Amino acid sequence: MINVLFVCLGNICRSPMAEAVFKHLVEEEGLGDQFHIDSVGTAGYHVGEPAHRGTRRVLADHGINSTSISRQINRRDLETADYIIAMDSSNLSDLQYASRGLATNDRLALLLDFAPGVSRQDVPDPYYSGNFEETYQLVDAGSRGLLAHIRKEQGL
Ligand code: 4NP
């Protein structure tokens, strides 16, 4: 199993969106049984909550369901994930700090590093911007690029 973990701050807006979009793409490509896909937050503000209403609505608009319940990252996540995908550079630096002492550097990346033709680094946070569709478009581009990258790297 290839273990992919999406990470944002609260685990209610961006990373549950990426989890749902990436799961949908993996299913579409018939690879569902080869992946374990999850999302977490660096903070615990919303633990136990489903994805934000705006995230669930934009996903539904694109024919995608979300079953994510917010949880905070733990040491085991950092030890076991093959790909730890941060939504923004602040999440990335929090992850680098949280994983000190673990060999995570080559498993950590920003989602938009995989989005072809996208020059920005950070997925904008719709918790503040209110623009869930803009976030969806960037998450979709990053997720498609990430899946292509993993398929190539894993020979799938
Ligand atoms: P997320 O957005 O990291 O994309 O889930 C946020 C959700 C909640 C908060 C901040 C960002 N908050 O401060 O509660």
Side-chain angles (χ1 to χ4, degrees), residues 120-138:
R120 58 207 293 177
Q121 272 201 312
D122 295 345
V123 177
D125 194 340
Y127 190 78
Y128 304 113
S129 73
N131 192 341
F132 286 84
E133 180 62 30
E134 174 195 41
T135 294
Y136 175 86
Q137 292 301 333
L138 289 163

Side-chain angles (χ1 to χ4, degrees), residues 8-14 45-46 125 127-128:
C8 64
L9 178 64
N11 191 217
I12 54 167
C13 294
R14 294 163 298 169
Y45 316 135
H46 295 276
D125 194 340
Y127 190 78
Y128 304 113

Side-chain angles (χ1 to χ4, degrees), residues 16-37:
M17 195 186 293
E19 175 190 345
V21 167
F22 193 78
K23 277 182 178 164
H24 186 78
L25 292 172
V26 161
E27 290 294 337
E28 268 184 355
E29 299 196 16
L31 298 168
D33 56 352
Q34 314 225 35
F35 280 85
H36 177 78
I37 301 158

Side-chain angles (χ1 to χ4, degrees), residues 17-98:
M17 195 186 293
E19 175 190 345
V21 167
F22 193 78
K23 277 182 178 164
H24 186 78
L25 292 172
V26 161
E27 290 294 337
E28 268 184 355
E29 299 196 16
L31 298 168
D33 56 352
Q34 314 225 35
F35 280 85
H36 177 78
I37 301 158
D38 199 0
S39 67
V40 291
T42 57
Y45 316 135
H46 295 276
V47 168
E49 295 178 24
H52 191 287
R53 188 187 308 113
T55 286
R56 285 185 279 123
R57 181 171 302 149
V58 80
L59 287 168
D61 287 346
H62 292 275
I64 301 173
N65 189 34
S66 170
T67 55
S68 174
I69 300 293
S70 175
R71 68 179 185 88
Q72 189 171 14
I73 194 162
N74 59 49
R75 195 102 180 140
R76 195 178 140 71
D77 293 316
L78 294 165
E79 286 165 353
T80 57
D82 300 304
Y83 298 89
I84 305 170
I85 308 298
M87 296 300 117
D88 68 28
S89 30
S90 160
N91 308 145
L92 186 64
S93 56
D94 287 345
L95 284 166
Q96 280 159 343
Y97 181 72

